Amino acid sequence: IDPKAAAWLSGYADPVYWSEAFFSGKRYGHYTSNISAESANAWLRDAREKPLIEMLEDIRVKLMGWFQIRREQGILATEEHPDPLALVPDAATRLTIAERYGRMRYSHRRSNESVFGVTNIDTERSRIVDIQYRTCSCKEWQQYGIPCRHAAHCLLHMRKDLRRYVNEEYNVTSCVDTYSGDILPIPPKEDWPPSVGPTILPPIKGRKAGRPSIERKKRGSGGRSLRCKR
C-alpha cells in the first residue's frame, strides 16, 4: 500500500520479527495469541482490581493450581497411553482425518527416495511432498507440524507409521514435560524480609467520577443490539 512504510519497517527491525513470510518458528495453526490472552483475562479479572503485590500473589496461586491439575492429567494420560508415540487428542484427530483422505482420493509419482508428486483424483490438482524435510507445497504440514493428507498418502505407500512424522510437541510425553516445572509457595507477607530498595509509589493518575467499568466495550455496536437483515 505504501512503499515508505515497508522501507521504515525494514530499517526498524528484522522481518523475522514482524513478517509472517520470514517467520522461522512454528505457529501450529495459530496466527495470534488471542486465545491464550482471552482465557487468561477471564480469570485475571478479579486479580487486576487488587494492588500489585496481591495481584501477583493471586496469579502465582492460580498458576500453581493450574500446573498441578495439568500435571496430574498428564501423568494419567501417560499411564493410559504408555506408547512414546501417543499423541494429544487434537493432534490424533487431525492425523486420523489426514490418513482417511490420504487413502481415498490421491495417486502419486515418486521422484526419488523422499520426493513425491501427489495428484487429487477428483480435481487433478498436484502437490509436491518431501518426506525428508517434512514439507508439502500445500503448506499444511509446515503450518501444523502434522502430516497433511498428501503426505499421509505417501507415508502410507511407504508403510510408515504416520505418528513418527508428527512434531514431538504433540506427544503426550511432551505435554507432560510442559508442566513439569515447579512453582514454589512463598511465606506470608508478614514474614518477608524488609525491602532495601526505594519505596515505589503508585502513579499520579486522575480518576473519573463514578464506579469504573470492568466490562469490555463491544466495538462497532454503539450500544445498540444488532440483528442480521438476511
Side-chain angles (χ1 to χ4, degrees):
I1 297 174
D2 187 347
K4 294 181 179 179
W8 180 85
L9 279 171
S10 299
Y12 180 74
D14 193 314
V16 299
Y17 297 112
W18 55 266
S19 173
E20 182 185 344
F22 294 95
F23 181 68
S24 58
K26 298 289 186 181
R27 293 189 178 275
Y28 301 105
H30 297 289
Y31 292 95
T32 71
S33 59
N34 288 352
I35 295 176
S36 302
E38 294 298 334
S39 61
N41 284 336
W43 58 261
L44 282 177
R45 177 178 298 178
D46 295 333
R48 288 183 301 189
E49 298 300 318
K50 297 182 179 182
L52 179 61
I53 299 298
E54 284 74 10
M55 179 189 72
L56 293 175
E57 179 65 5
D58 275 11
I59 295 174
R60 184 190 64 80
V61 172
K62 183 71 175 180
L63 288 176
M64 283 186 66
W66 187 14
F67 269 52
Q68 178 184 355
I69 293 173
R70 297 296 179 90
R71 189 182 297 115
E72 292 173 351
Q73 290 175 342
I75 293 174
L76 180 61
T78 54
E79 291 176 349
E80 294 178 351
H81 304 283
D83 185 355
L85 294 178
L87 304 176
V88 296
D90 289 347
T93 300
R94 178 174 284 276
L95 188 63
T96 300
I97 295 173
E99 180 180 358
R100 184 190 309 156
Y101 279 98
R103 290 182 183 277
M104 297 169 51
R105 307 168 63 90
Y106 298 95
S107 63
H108 70 273
R109 294 290 185 273
R110 192 167 186 171
S111 176
N112 54 41
E113 291 299 319
S114 65
V115 178
F116 289 79
V118 182
T119 303
N120 186 306
I121 296 175
D122 298 329
T123 64
E124 297 185 356
R125 186 171 185 177
S126 299
R127 300 291 188 181
I128 300 174
V129 176
D130 192 324
I131 301 298
Q132 179 180 355
Y133 293 101
R134 302 191 177 192
T135 62
C136 178
S137 58
C138 76
K139 306 295 184 181
E140 188 173 317
W141 197 356
Q142 298 92 299
Q143 179 181 352
Y144 290 95
I146 301 173
C148 60
R149 58 190 65 183
H150 314 104
H153 173 82
C154 301
L155 292 170
L156 290 170
H157 171 74
M158 299 171 67
R159 301 184 183 276
K160 300 290 187 180
D161 187 340
L162 271 63
R163 298 177 301 171
R164 294 187 179 276
Y165 295 85
V166 176
N167 283 22
E168 63 179 8
E169 288 83 358
Y170 289 111
N171 292 346
V172 172
T173 52
S174 296
C175 184
V176 174
D177 291 341
T178 302
Y179 299 97
S180 62
D182 298 325
I183 300 180
L184 300 176
I186 61 175
K189 189 176 180 180
E190 296 76 19
D191 298 337
W192 292 359
S195 175
V196 296
T199 301
I200 301 177
L201 300 176
I204 300 175
K205 183 179 180 182
R207 182 173 179 177
K208 298 179 181 180
R211 184 177 179 179
S213 173
I214 61 174
E215 298 293 336
R216 174 175 295 183
K217 295 180 181 179
K218 296 181 180 180
R219 293 187 299 171
S221 63
R224 297 178 292 107
S225 60
L226 302 179
R227 177 177 298 178
C228 179
K229 297 181 180 179
R230 295 180 59 183

